[in-house]
Amino acid sequence: MSTVKACLFDLDGVIVDTAVYHYKAWKRLADQLGLKFSEQDNELLKGVSRVRSLEIILELNHVTKSAEEQTELATLKNNWYVEMINQMTPAEILPGAKEFLEACRAAGIKTALGSASKNSGTILNKINLAGLFDAIVDGNHVSKAKPDPEVFLKGAEALAVKPSECVVFEDAIAGVEAAVNGGMKVVGIGSPEVLGKADMVVSGLDKMSLKMLNGL
Ligand code: BG6
Ligand code: MG
């Protein structure tokens, strides 16, 4: 790839590790409902919307709930989740994330957030990182969940760059697929066994450099 004009970042699992808070909140809900939900089950929820996450937990337990009940349960879970993320501090930024964002901006590469979360504003404020993004697109702005590319295409549009000029950073399979579906290059954050569809996989943004973008 010759010219990278923008880097688009997923939030949960790339910039911060909120999976543990999502797990605690879903686990509390599952326990209250007498449903089984393990840390392994939690892996299925990465990159997946709040509503879909609840559906997955119900499906795993062969339980059905009305639409009204589902809304109530998702809200209950979210209230517990928000209590936890309200306690977050900049110390929870994953290694290398802030430094890589700063390096992008110093090099004139635009930055955007592309997250499924409707809580991204709260998290970015708590970790004091909102100022490092030129555009923020999250679950409040999209109607189609990853692997649909909508969240990243809206990010590219907000930055006024073409999809082919963007590199996406993602830790979830659905997110990697969303980037590919949007015609963007993608760097997987995690393990190559899981994120095989990515153009490159690193264990974290601390292992990423601007130079590596040229190799994509
Ligand atoms: C994604 C997480 O970033 O956001 C998912 O990986 C989560 O686990 C989704 O379900 C929606 O988050 P929220 O904050 O809107 O409930
Ligand atoms: Mg993620």
Side-chain angles (χ1 to χ4, degrees):
M1 188 175 196
S2 49
T3 5
V4 177
K5 290 196 178 162
C7 286
L8 277 52
F9 299 85
D10 173 48
L11 178 64
D12 297 312
V14 173
I15 306 287
V16 281
D17 186 12
T18 43
V20 58
Y21 300 133
H22 280 298
Y23 175 67
K24 282 185 183 167
W26 284 126
K27 180 71 181 157
R28 186 170 169 183
L29 186 76
D31 286 351
Q32 189 165 303
L33 296 171
L35 302 177
K36 70 171 183 65
F37 180 59
S38 65
E39 282 190 55
Q40 205 180 330
D41 296 333
N42 193 53
E43 290 299 308
L44 301 171
L45 311 186
K46 285 191 177 170
V48 171
S49 73
R50 192 183 310 162
V51 175
R52 181 66 197 134
S53 296
L54 177 61
E55 281 172 6
I56 291 172
I57 295 171
L58 295 175
E59 280 165 23
L60 287 171
N61 286 274
H62 310 289
V63 166
T64 50
K65 297 275 179 199
S66 70
E68 293 76 26
E69 281 173 310
Q70 288 194 27
T71 304
E72 256 174 52
L73 294 173
T75 302
L76 192 55
K77 177 267 174 182
N78 191 56
N79 291 342
W80 292 328
Y81 178 68
V82 170
E83 267 173 34
M84 287 185 273
I85 58 172
N86 269 328
Q87 307 300 317
M88 287 180 82
T89 71
E92 290 179 67
I93 298 171
L94 285 170
K98 187 172 184 216
E99 292 77 6
F100 188 70
L101 278 160
E102 285 170 342
C104 285
R105 289 167 64 97
I109 295 172
K110 291 178 182 173
T111 57
L113 190 83
S115 168
S117 174
K118 293 185 173 174
N119 292 302
S120 76
T122 305
I123 295 170
L124 289 181
N125 285 333
K126 288 289 165 188
I127 62 171
N128 206 14
L129 224 54
L132 288 181
F133 292 95
D134 297 305
I136 291 175
V137 184
D138 72 8
N140 298 298
H141 309 108
V142 296
S143 54
K144 287 169 260 168
K146 300 171 187 177
D148 189 282
E150 184 183 13
V151 69
F152 295 130
L153 292 178
K154 284 204 164 163
E157 199 184 322
L159 297 176
V161 295
K162 294 187 204 123
S164 60
E165 296 166 334
C166 297
V167 177
V168 168
F169 294 85
E170 254 295 348
D171 72 313
I173 297 169
V176 168
E177 286 173 356
V180 172
N181 291 338
M184 298 175 177
K185 293 287 178 188
V186 52
V187 175
I189 304 289
S191 81
E193 290 77 39
V194 181
L195 305 173
K197 288 187 185 166
D199 297 289
M200 182 196 291
V201 180
V202 292
S203 58
L205 287 173
D206 55 338
K207 298 290 183 308
M208 197 62 209
S209 68
L210 292 182
K211 221 173 164 186
M212 288 159 76
L213 294 177
N214 300 323
L216 290 170

